[in-house]
Each structure stands twice: as C-alpha cells, then as structure tokens.
Amino acid sequence: MPVSGRVARKVRTGQMPPPGLPRPDAPASLAFAKSLEDLLDRAAATHPNPGRTAPHRLNRAEYSNAIRDLLVLDIQPGSLLPVDDSGHGFDNIADLLSMSPALLERYMSAARLVSRLAVGDPTMTPVEEQFAAGRAARNERVTDDLPFDSR
C-alpha cells in the first residue's frame, strides 16, 4: 500500500496524529480521511497500476512448442513432465505453475534428451568443403570497401 493510503487508514482509525499531539475533532478527522481517500481513488482511476506479472514457467504444451519451433524437433518433450495444475480450466496461469525441486529435475532430464537429439550424432567427424569462385570474376568488386570476389 502506498504511503498516502497508510496515512488515510491511520487517520480514519484514530492512530494519527500520535497520542500527545494536538488532534482535530472527529468530524474534521473523518472529513480529511474521506477527502484523501477520494483523491487516491481518482488518482488510481486515471493511472491504474495492475502490478507486476508473476514469474511464468512454460507448461507442458508451451515447452513442447518452444522446442519444436526453436530446434525443429517435434518430439513432444512436454510429455516427459508431470501434468500441470489448472485453474478455471486453464493450465497456463502463472500463479498456478509452481516449480518444485522434483519438477525442476524432470525439466532438466527432458532438456538433456532434447539437447542430445538437437546435436545429433556426437561420433560424426567434421567435413570440410571448399567452393572455388570462377576465374573470370577474380578482380571484380562492387566497391573498394568490399573484398575481392564480392560481386
């Protein structure tokens, strides 16, 4: 709660001004609290602040789609994960998608499988290929800023 909201609450409940200091009468105190609350309500209506979004992990379907889209591997790694919690019929609400140590281990296990498949056969050796440019265009350049053979 912003400071001004706490001030309004403390004035309304009689906590401000502190005991021992001069106090306005009750109607004046309540009128001040009401005007402060009205001012805060108007400010909130003109400049709404929805707050921050909760950290969001990928659910099973989103994880599978991300792997498919980024690595072109349609292996459905989300099926290796436990079923996600759902609320109101949705399983992608950030507040419901928690991350336990066991779930993190399952994500890591799925990621190991995905990374092995994305890399391919680790026993393959690199292959070198050379492409020679034609002799006729050897000294042609578009501009002096570019290297030879850059037509």
Short mmCIF file of all heavy atoms in Angstrom, two decimals, residues 113-149:
data_model
loop_
_atom_site.label_atom_id
_atom_site.label_comp_id
_atom_site.label_asym_id
_atom_site.label_seq_id
_atom_site.Cartn_x
_atom_site.Cartn_y
_atom_site.Cartn_z
N LEU A 113 17.67 -34.87 -22.88
CA LEU A 113 17.24 -35.63 -24.05
C LEU A 113 17.16 -34.71 -25.27
O LEU A 113 17.66 -35.06 -26.35
CB LEU A 113 15.87 -36.28 -23.79
CG LEU A 113 15.20 -36.91 -25.00
CD1 LEU A 113 15.97 -38.14 -25.45
CD2 LEU A 113 13.77 -37.25 -24.70
N VAL A 114 16.55 -33.55 -25.11
CA VAL A 114 16.38 -32.61 -26.22
C VAL A 114 17.75 -32.17 -26.75
O VAL A 114 17.98 -32.14 -27.95
CB VAL A 114 15.55 -31.38 -25.78
CG1 VAL A 114 15.64 -30.26 -26.79
CG2 VAL A 114 14.12 -31.79 -25.55
N SER A 115 18.68 -31.88 -25.86
CA SER A 115 19.99 -31.41 -26.31
C SER A 115 20.75 -32.50 -27.06
O SER A 115 21.43 -32.23 -28.04
CB SER A 115 20.81 -30.88 -25.14
OG SER A 115 21.10 -31.92 -24.22
N ARG A 116 20.62 -33.76 -26.62
CA ARG A 116 21.28 -34.87 -27.33
C ARG A 116 20.69 -35.01 -28.73
O ARG A 116 21.42 -35.21 -29.71
CB ARG A 116 21.12 -36.18 -26.55
CG ARG A 116 22.08 -36.30 -25.39
CD ARG A 116 22.16 -37.72 -24.86
NE ARG A 116 20.88 -38.27 -24.45
CZ ARG A 116 20.33 -38.14 -23.26
NH1 ARG A 116 20.96 -37.46 -22.32
NH2 ARG A 116 19.16 -38.69 -22.98
N LEU A 117 19.38 -34.91 -28.85
CA LEU A 117 18.75 -35.03 -30.16
C LEU A 117 19.05 -33.83 -31.06
O LEU A 117 19.17 -33.97 -32.27
CB LEU A 117 17.24 -35.21 -30.01
CG LEU A 117 16.81 -36.53 -29.38
CD1 LEU A 117 15.31 -36.52 -29.09
CD2 LEU A 117 17.18 -37.70 -30.26
N ALA A 118 19.16 -32.64 -30.47
CA ALA A 118 19.43 -31.44 -31.26
C ALA A 118 20.84 -31.44 -31.82
O ALA A 118 21.08 -30.99 -32.95
CB ALA A 118 19.21 -30.19 -30.40
N VAL A 119 21.78 -31.98 -31.06
CA VAL A 119 23.18 -32.01 -31.51
C VAL A 119 23.36 -33.07 -32.58
O VAL A 119 24.14 -32.92 -33.51
CB VAL A 119 24.13 -32.25 -30.31
CG1 VAL A 119 25.53 -32.56 -30.77
CG2 VAL A 119 24.12 -31.03 -29.41
N GLY A 120 22.64 -34.15 -32.49
CA GLY A 120 22.77 -35.22 -33.47
C GLY A 120 23.78 -36.25 -33.01
O GLY A 120 24.01 -36.43 -31.82
N ASP A 121 24.43 -36.90 -33.95
CA ASP A 121 25.39 -37.97 -33.66
C ASP A 121 26.72 -37.36 -33.23
O ASP A 121 27.42 -36.77 -34.04
CB ASP A 121 25.57 -38.84 -34.90
CG ASP A 121 26.47 -40.04 -34.64
OD1 ASP A 121 26.91 -40.21 -33.48
OD2 ASP A 121 26.72 -40.80 -35.59
N PRO A 122 27.11 -37.50 -31.96
CA PRO A 122 28.36 -36.89 -31.49
C PRO A 122 29.60 -37.62 -32.01
O PRO A 122 30.71 -37.13 -31.88
CB PRO A 122 28.26 -36.98 -29.97
CG PRO A 122 27.31 -38.08 -29.71
CD PRO A 122 26.38 -38.13 -30.88
N THR A 123 29.45 -38.79 -32.63
CA THR A 123 30.62 -39.52 -33.14
C THR A 123 31.00 -39.08 -34.54
O THR A 123 32.05 -39.49 -35.05
CB THR A 123 30.33 -41.04 -33.14
OG1 THR A 123 29.23 -41.31 -34.00
CG2 THR A 123 30.02 -41.54 -31.73
N MET A 124 30.15 -38.27 -35.19
CA MET A 124 30.47 -37.81 -36.54
C MET A 124 31.66 -36.86 -36.50
O MET A 124 31.81 -36.07 -35.57
CB MET A 124 29.28 -37.10 -37.16
CG MET A 124 28.14 -38.01 -37.52
SD MET A 124 26.74 -37.12 -38.24
CE MET A 124 27.46 -36.39 -39.68
N THR A 125 32.50 -36.92 -37.52
CA THR A 125 33.63 -36.01 -37.62
C THR A 125 33.26 -34.86 -38.56
O THR A 125 32.43 -35.04 -39.46
CB THR A 125 34.87 -36.74 -38.18
OG1 THR A 125 34.54 -37.31 -39.45
CG2 THR A 125 35.32 -37.83 -37.22
N PRO A 126 33.85 -33.70 -38.36
CA PRO A 126 33.54 -32.57 -39.23
C PRO A 126 33.97 -32.84 -40.67
O PRO A 126 34.94 -33.54 -40.92
CB PRO A 126 34.33 -31.41 -38.64
CG PRO A 126 34.85 -31.87 -37.34
CD PRO A 126 34.77 -33.35 -37.30
N VAL A 127 33.24 -32.28 -41.60
CA VAL A 127 33.55 -32.44 -43.01
C VAL A 127 33.90 -31.06 -43.56
O VAL A 127 33.25 -30.07 -43.24
CB VAL A 127 32.33 -33.01 -43.78
CG1 VAL A 127 32.61 -33.08 -45.26
CG2 VAL A 127 31.95 -34.35 -43.22
N GLU A 128 34.96 -31.01 -44.36
CA GLU A 128 35.39 -29.75 -44.93
C GLU A 128 35.04 -29.73 -46.41
O GLU A 128 35.31 -30.69 -47.13
CB GLU A 128 36.91 -29.59 -44.76
CG GLU A 128 37.44 -28.30 -45.30
CD GLU A 128 38.94 -28.18 -45.09
OE1 GLU A 128 39.43 -28.52 -44.00
OE2 GLU A 128 39.60 -27.73 -46.04
N GLU A 129 34.43 -28.65 -46.86
CA GLU A 129 34.11 -28.48 -48.27
C GLU A 129 34.65 -27.14 -48.73
O GLU A 129 34.55 -26.15 -48.00
CB GLU A 129 32.60 -28.52 -48.50
CG GLU A 129 31.97 -29.87 -48.25
CD GLU A 129 30.49 -29.87 -48.59
OE1 GLU A 129 30.12 -29.27 -49.63
OE2 GLU A 129 29.72 -30.45 -47.82
N GLN A 130 35.23 -27.12 -49.92
CA GLN A 130 35.75 -25.87 -50.48
C GLN A 130 34.98 -25.55 -51.76
O GLN A 130 34.69 -26.45 -52.55
CB GLN A 130 37.23 -26.00 -50.80
CG GLN A 130 38.09 -26.12 -49.57
CD GLN A 130 39.57 -26.15 -49.92
OE1 GLN A 130 39.96 -26.09 -51.08
NE2 GLN A 130 40.39 -26.22 -48.89
N PHE A 131 34.67 -24.29 -51.91
CA PHE A 131 33.97 -23.82 -53.10
C PHE A 131 34.86 -22.78 -53.77
O PHE A 131 35.18 -21.76 -53.17
CB PHE A 131 32.62 -23.20 -52.73
CG PHE A 131 31.68 -24.17 -52.07
CD1 PHE A 131 31.63 -24.29 -50.69
CD2 PHE A 131 30.87 -24.98 -52.84
CE1 PHE A 131 30.78 -25.18 -50.09
CE2 PHE A 131 30.01 -25.88 -52.25
CZ PHE A 131 29.96 -25.99 -50.87
N ALA A 132 35.24 -23.05 -55.01
CA ALA A 132 36.11 -22.13 -55.73
C ALA A 132 35.27 -21.18 -56.57
O ALA A 132 34.28 -21.59 -57.19
CB ALA A 132 37.06 -22.90 -56.63
N ALA A 133 35.67 -19.92 -56.58
CA ALA A 133 34.98 -18.92 -57.41
C ALA A 133 35.52 -19.02 -58.82
O ALA A 133 36.65 -19.44 -59.05
CB ALA A 133 35.21 -17.54 -56.85
N GLY A 134 34.69 -18.60 -59.77
CA GLY A 134 35.14 -18.64 -61.17
C GLY A 134 36.29 -17.68 -61.40
O GLY A 134 36.40 -16.63 -60.75
N ARG A 135 37.17 -18.00 -62.33
CA ARG A 135 38.37 -17.18 -62.62
C ARG A 135 38.00 -15.84 -63.26
O ARG A 135 38.67 -14.86 -63.05
CB ARG A 135 39.31 -17.93 -63.54
CG ARG A 135 39.86 -19.17 -62.92
CD ARG A 135 41.28 -18.88 -62.48
NE ARG A 135 41.84 -20.10 -61.92
CZ ARG A 135 42.40 -20.14 -60.74
NH1 ARG A 135 42.48 -19.07 -60.01
NH2 ARG A 135 42.92 -21.26 -60.29
N ALA A 136 36.95 -15.75 -64.01
CA ALA A 136 36.61 -14.53 -64.75
C ALA A 136 36.26 -13.38 -63.82
O ALA A 136 36.50 -12.23 -64.13
CB ALA A 136 35.46 -14.80 -65.70
N ALA A 137 35.73 -13.66 -62.64
CA ALA A 137 35.28 -12.60 -61.74
C ALA A 137 36.29 -12.33 -60.64
O ALA A 137 35.98 -11.73 -59.64
CB ALA A 137 33.95 -13.00 -61.13
N ARG A 138 37.52 -12.73 -60.81
CA ARG A 138 38.51 -12.66 -59.75
C ARG A 138 38.74 -11.24 -59.21
O ARG A 138 38.89 -11.04 -58.03
CB ARG A 138 39.83 -13.23 -60.29
CG ARG A 138 40.75 -13.73 -59.26
CD ARG A 138 40.10 -14.89 -58.59
NE ARG A 138 40.97 -15.48 -57.61
CZ ARG A 138 40.54 -16.24 -56.66
NH1 ARG A 138 39.28 -16.48 -56.52
NH2 ARG A 138 41.35 -16.78 -55.81
N ASN A 139 38.80 -10.24 -60.06
CA ASN A 139 39.14 -8.89 -59.61
C ASN A 139 37.95 -7.95 -59.58
O ASN A 139 38.12 -6.75 -59.47
CB ASN A 139 40.24 -8.30 -60.51
CG ASN A 139 41.55 -9.01 -60.32
OD1 ASN A 139 41.86 -9.43 -59.21
ND2 ASN A 139 42.30 -9.17 -61.39
N GLU A 140 36.76 -8.49 -59.69
CA GLU A 140 35.58 -7.62 -59.67
C GLU A 140 35.18 -7.31 -58.24
O GLU A 140 35.10 -8.19 -57.40
CB GLU A 140 34.41 -8.30 -60.38
CG GLU A 140 34.62 -8.42 -61.86
CD GLU A 140 33.42 -9.06 -62.51
OE1 GLU A 140 32.33 -9.03 -61.91
OE2 GLU A 140 33.57 -9.57 -63.62
N ARG A 141 34.95 -6.03 -57.98
CA ARG A 141 34.45 -5.62 -56.67
C ARG A 141 33.32 -4.64 -56.87
O ARG A 141 33.34 -3.84 -57.79
CB ARG A 141 35.54 -4.92 -55.85
CG ARG A 141 36.59 -5.82 -55.34
CD ARG A 141 37.37 -5.11 -54.28
NE ARG A 141 38.67 -4.70 -54.81
CZ ARG A 141 39.58 -4.10 -54.10
NH1 ARG A 141 39.36 -3.81 -52.84
NH2 ARG A 141 40.72 -3.77 -54.60
N VAL A 142 32.36 -4.64 -55.96
CA VAL A 142 31.27 -3.68 -56.03
C VAL A 142 31.79 -2.31 -55.63
O VAL A 142 31.55 -1.32 -56.29
CB VAL A 142 30.11 -4.13 -55.11
CG1 VAL A 142 29.00 -3.09 -55.11
CG2 VAL A 142 29.57 -5.47 -55.56
N THR A 143 32.53 -2.25 -54.53
CA THR A 143 33.17 -1.01 -54.07
C THR A 143 34.54 -1.37 -53.51
O THR A 143 34.86 -2.54 -53.28
CB THR A 143 32.36 -0.30 -52.97
OG1 THR A 143 32.42 -1.10 -51.80
CG2 THR A 143 30.93 -0.06 -53.37
N ASP A 144 35.35 -0.36 -53.25
CA ASP A 144 36.66 -0.61 -52.66
C ASP A 144 36.57 -1.05 -51.20
O ASP A 144 37.54 -1.53 -50.63
CB ASP A 144 37.53 0.67 -52.75
CG ASP A 144 37.95 0.95 -54.19
OD1 ASP A 144 38.03 -0.03 -54.96
OD2 ASP A 144 38.21 2.11 -54.52
N ASP A 145 35.40 -0.84 -50.58
CA ASP A 145 35.23 -1.24 -49.18
C ASP A 145 35.06 -2.76 -49.01
O ASP A 145 35.22 -3.29 -47.93
CB ASP A 145 34.01 -0.54 -48.57
CG ASP A 145 34.21 0.95 -48.51
OD1 ASP A 145 35.36 1.40 -48.44
OD2 ASP A 145 33.18 1.67 -48.56
N LEU A 146 34.68 -3.44 -50.09
CA LEU A 146 34.43 -4.87 -50.02
C LEU A 146 35.64 -5.66 -50.50
O LEU A 146 36.43 -5.15 -51.30
CB LEU A 146 33.19 -5.23 -50.85
CG LEU A 146 31.87 -4.61 -50.36
CD1 LEU A 146 30.75 -4.94 -51.33
CD2 LEU A 146 31.54 -5.12 -48.97
N PRO A 147 35.79 -6.91 -50.09
CA PRO A 147 36.96 -7.70 -50.52
C PRO A 147 36.82 -8.15 -51.97
O PRO A 147 35.77 -8.03 -52.58
CB PRO A 147 36.91 -8.89 -49.56
CG PRO A 147 35.49 -9.00 -49.16
CD PRO A 147 34.96 -7.59 -49.12
N PHE A 148 37.94 -8.70 -52.51
CA PHE A 148 37.91 -9.24 -53.85
C PHE A 148 36.87 -10.33 -53.95
O PHE A 148 36.56 -11.01 -53.00
CB PHE A 148 39.27 -9.84 -54.21
CG PHE A 148 40.32 -8.80 -54.48
CD1 PHE A 148 41.34 -8.61 -53.58
CD2 PHE A 148 40.26 -8.02 -55.62
CE1 PHE A 148 42.31 -7.65 -53.81
CE2 PHE A 148 41.22 -7.06 -55.84
CZ PHE A 148 42.25 -6.86 -54.95
N ASP A 149 36.35 -10.51 -55.14
CA ASP A 149 35.38 -11.57 -55.43
C ASP A 149 34.05 -11.34 -54.70
O ASP A 149 33.39 -12.28 -54.32
CB ASP A 149 35.96 -12.91 -55.07
CG ASP A 149 35.69 -13.96 -56.14
OD1 ASP A 149 35.23 -13.55 -57.23
OD2 ASP A 149 35.94 -15.14 -55.90
#
